[in-house]
Amino acid sequence: MAVLDIVTYPNKILKEISRPVERFDKDLHKLLDDMYETMLVKNGVGLAAIQVAVPIRALLIDIGDEEGKQSKDTLIEVINPEFLEWSGTQKDKEGCLSVPDYFDEVERYEKVKVKFFDRFGKEHIMDADGLLSVAFQHETDHLDGHLFVERLDYIKRKKFEKEWKKLLKKRKK
Ligand code: CO
């Protein structure tokens, strides 16, 4: 397994619309394995393939167990996801490995029903609420070229742009 480079904002790659996965083959499995390694090393709870510059509709979610401990048992591999139902709203702090060190509250649906495929092409339907629901929505946004900071209201977005410039400067030092 290998740790991959993560593409960060404002790289234009993140705006690409990812294409559906058609082959559930060894190459896909290797990518998913490398993505998992990368996500754990970077302390993420989700990672979409486009964040490692591969524009396919594949993503990982691992929000961990009750104590937040991540493992292969709590990992969900999500290919070609599609929302079937959604309801309610919730507001929670989100972060993103492509927008490192910035966190802010985003409004999302409270509950979602998602259809997706696993790495072997088997179909799954899952009901999610709370953090898991947020993760599905956040990661699926990546597949359509969107970042959570685009969902901030005008004032918060301005605040983000300002803070982001500062963070970039700091990182260059
Ligand atoms: Co993200």
Side-chain angles (χ1 to χ4, degrees), residues 51 96-97 138-139 142:
Q51 293 179 273
C96 180
L97 294 178
H138 177 118
E139 297 311 325
H142 277 299

Side-chain angles (χ1 to χ4, degrees), residues 88-94 104-110 130 134 151-153 156:
T89 55
Q90 60 180 335
K91 223 172 183 179
D92 267 304
K93 252 202 178 133
E94 290 184 30
D104 214 333
E105 277 192 340
V106 182
E107 191 168 295
R108 299 282 188 183
Y109 295 113
E110 185 189 358
V134 171
R151 294 191 177 269
L152 300 173
D153 60 38
K156 280 188 165 181

Side-chain angles (χ1 to χ4, degrees), residues 4-170:
L4 308 168
D5 285 334
I6 293 188
V7 179
T8 56
Y9 178 83
N11 193 314
K12 284 197 180 71
I13 290 175
L14 295 166
K15 286 182 174 281
E16 277 184 40
I17 301 197
S18 297
R19 59 174 186 275
V21 171
E22 283 166 6
R23 284 193 208 99
F24 296 79
D25 58 7
K26 263 199 316 220
D27 291 343
L28 176 69
H29 295 183
K30 180 168 181 351
L31 173 69
L32 291 169
D33 290 341
D34 289 346
M35 281 171 62
Y36 188 59
E37 183 90 352
T38 306
M39 186 176 78
L40 290 190
V41 166
K42 305 279 180 183
N43 291 314
V45 296
L47 185 68
I50 191 68
Q51 293 179 273
V52 294
V54 183
I56 61 168
R57 302 186 85 79
L59 59 92
L60 305 178
I61 294 172
D62 187 353
I63 61 167
D65 61 15
E66 301 86 61
E67 279 110 50
K69 202 179 168 299
Q70 295 174 304
S71 72
K72 280 274 158 85
D73 292 335
T74 48
L75 168 66
I76 308 171
E77 294 179 337
V78 179
I79 320 285
N80 299 343
E82 200 183 307
F83 291 108
L84 302 176
E85 287 172 25
W86 45 87
S87 62
T89 55
Q90 60 180 335
K91 223 172 183 179
D92 267 304
K93 252 202 178 133
E94 290 184 30
C96 180
L97 294 178
S98 292
V99 192
D101 304 320
Y102 188 84
F103 302 87
D104 214 333
E105 277 192 340
V106 182
E107 191 168 295
R108 299 282 188 183
Y109 295 113
E110 185 189 358
K111 290 179 183 176
V112 291
K113 187 192 278 284
V114 205
K115 184 184 101 171
F116 59 92
F117 298 88
D118 64 23
R119 63 162 65 199
F120 304 107
K122 185 174 181 274
E123 186 182 302
H124 296 264
I125 289 177
M126 193 177 274
D127 289 297
D129 59 16
L131 179 57
L132 185 58
S133 168
V134 171
F136 267 110
Q137 294 170 76
H138 177 118
E139 297 311 325
T140 305
D141 265 359
H142 277 299
L143 307 185
D144 295 321
H146 297 302
L147 294 172
F148 80 101
V149 289
E150 293 169 43
R151 294 191 177 269
L152 300 173
D153 60 38
Y154 182 77
I155 292 168
K156 280 188 165 181
R157 182 73 196 249
K158 287 273 166 224
K159 190 185 111 202
F160 161 70
E161 297 291 353
K162 231 166 123 184
E163 283 190 29
W164 189 250
K165 272 185 200 149
K166 271 193 232 159
L167 284 170
L168 282 183
K169 259 190 213 157
K170 233 194 255 171

